[in-house]
C-alpha cells in the first residue's frame, strides 16, 4: 500500500470515493435538474481550490489502483476553501447559485470546522472491494503523523449518526465523540444528524 498526495489524474478514481463519503449531503447541495452532484465534485476536484479539490486530498494506492481517499485541512485553509467552492458553484450553477450556496450553508450544521490545534478530516472513502482490510486505519495513522509533523495535537472529523460502523472504527483508533450535530436544512431531507469526533495525541 502506498499513501501519496492526490493528483489531477486521480479524478476518475477519487470522485466516486468522495461521493460515497456523504451521498445524501452531496445530493442535497449539488444535485439540480440535469447536474449531478458527482459532476460538481469532478469539476471541483480538478480545480485549485474548494472543499473537493485534489490539493486537499490524499490517496491510498494498491498495485497502481487508487482504493481510498481522504481530505485533510486546517483552520487557516478555510478562507481559500470557501472562496474556491463559491467560485466553483457560481461557474456551474449560474442563476441557481443562491439556492446552492444556501444549501451548502445548511450543510455546515453537520460539517464542523477544524480548531486551532487540529487538522480536520473529510471526504473519507474506501472502495467497497477493499473495506475491512485495515486501509482506513492505515490512512488515519498517516494523517496523525502528518498532524504531529506540522505541530498539531489532534485530528477531528464528522460521522453520520447512521454510520455506527464508521464510528466504531474511529473509536478503535482513538477518536471520541465531543459533540452531537443536527441538520438545519429542510426537515423532509434525507440528511442524517451527525457527531463530531476528535483524537487528541501528544506531539
Amino acid at each position: 500500500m502506498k499513501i501519496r498526495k492526490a493528483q489531477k489524474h486521480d479524478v476518475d478514481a477519487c470522485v466516486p470515493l468522495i461521493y460515497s463519503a456523504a451521498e445524501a449531503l452531496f445530493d442535497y447541495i449539488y444535485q439540480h435538474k440535469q447536474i449531478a452532484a458527482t459532476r460538481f465534485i469532478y469539476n471541483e476536484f480538478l480545480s485549485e481550490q474548494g472543499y473537493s479539490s485534489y490539493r486537499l486530498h490524499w490517496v491510498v494506492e494498491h498495485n497502481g489502483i487508487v482504493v481510498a481517499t481522504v481530505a485533510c485541512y486546517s483552520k487557516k485553509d478555510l478562507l481559500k476553501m470557501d472562496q474556491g467552492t463559491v467560485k466553483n458553484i457560481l461557474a456551474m450553477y449560474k442563476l441557481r447559485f443562491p439556492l446552492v450556496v444556501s444549501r451548502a450553508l445548511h450543510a455546515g450544521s453537520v460539517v464542523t470546522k477544524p480548531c486551532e490545534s487540529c487538522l480536520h478530516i473529510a471526504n473519507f472513502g474506501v472502495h467497497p472491494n477493499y473495506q475491512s482490510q485495515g486501509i482506513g486505519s492505515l490512512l488515519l495513522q498517516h494523517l496523525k503523523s502528518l498532524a504531529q509533523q506540522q505541530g498539531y495535537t489532534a485530528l477531528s472529523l464528522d460521522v453520520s449518526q447512521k454510520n455506527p460502523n464508521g464510528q466504531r472504527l474511529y473509536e478503535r483508533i482513538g477518536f471520541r465523540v465531543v459533540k452531537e450535530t443536527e441538520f438545519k436544512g429542510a426537515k423532509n431531507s434525507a440528511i442524517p444528524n451527525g457527531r463530531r469526533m476528535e483524537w487528541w495525541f501528544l506531539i
Side-chain angles (χ1 to χ4, degrees):
M1 296 288 179
K2 175 184 177 182
I3 300 176
R4 61 171 174 80
K5 288 288 290 181
Q7 301 294 327
K8 286 187 176 182
H9 63 76
D10 297 315
V11 62
D12 289 327
C14 285
V15 167
L17 299 175
I18 293 170
Y19 178 65
S20 72
E23 293 183 11
L25 193 61
F26 281 127
D27 284 343
Y28 174 77
I29 302 169
Y30 299 122
Q31 183 171 307
H32 291 274
K33 296 185 178 180
Q34 64 270 60
I35 301 177
T38 49
R39 179 180 166 192
F40 177 83
I41 297 169
Y42 187 100
N43 284 10
E44 182 156 275
F45 186 88
L46 294 174
S47 72
E48 300 299 313
Q49 296 180 1
Y51 282 77
S52 302
S53 172
Y54 75 95
R55 288 182 171 271
L56 297 178
H57 285 77
W58 292 81
V59 298
V60 178
E61 202 173 56
H62 179 61
N63 294 332
I65 299 172
V66 172
V67 299
T69 191
V70 68
C72 188
Y73 50 89
S74 67
K75 186 174 182 178
K76 66 185 180 188
D77 298 318
L78 292 176
L79 179 59
K80 285 187 176 181
M81 291 166 60
D82 287 337
Q83 291 173 338
T85 289
V86 167
K87 180 180 177 180
N88 293 331
I89 290 172
L90 180 59
M92 177 161 287
Y93 297 95
K94 311 296 184 186
L95 295 178
R96 291 192 291 274
F97 169 79
L99 173 62
V100 179
V101 168
S102 70
R103 290 189 172 191
L105 292 173
H106 293 159
S109 59
V110 289
V111 180
T112 62
K113 306 292 187 184
C115 64
E116 293 284 355
S117 304
C118 70
L119 290 180
H120 194 72
I121 296 170
N123 299 344
F124 194 173
V126 179
H127 191 283
N129 293 345
Y130 293 87
Q131 292 177 2
S132 302
Q133 297 183 28
I135 293 174
S137 298
L138 179 70
L139 196 46
L140 289 169
Q141 291 291 349
H142 173 80
L143 294 179
K144 175 188 177 183
S145 297
L146 178 70
Q148 290 176 312
Q149 291 167 14
Q150 297 181 13
Y152 294 98
T153 53
L155 292 173
S156 61
L157 55 80
D158 300 291
V159 62
S160 165
Q161 292 185 13
K162 293 184 177 180
N163 185 12
N165 291 336
Q167 183 172 330
R168 282 193 289 270
L169 164 66
Y170 302 137
E171 288 173 337
R172 285 198 301 271
I173 293 291
F175 284 87
R176 297 293 178 264
V177 175
V178 297
K179 182 181 179 181
E180 304 277 339
T181 56
E182 180 181 355
F183 180 64
K184 302 297 186 183
K187 296 302 181 183
N188 61 345
S189 71
I191 313 303
N193 294 330
R195 295 185 174 99
R196 178 183 172 92
M197 303 185 74
E198 295 177 351
W199 179 17
W200 290 82
F201 37 80
L202 298 177
I203 298 177

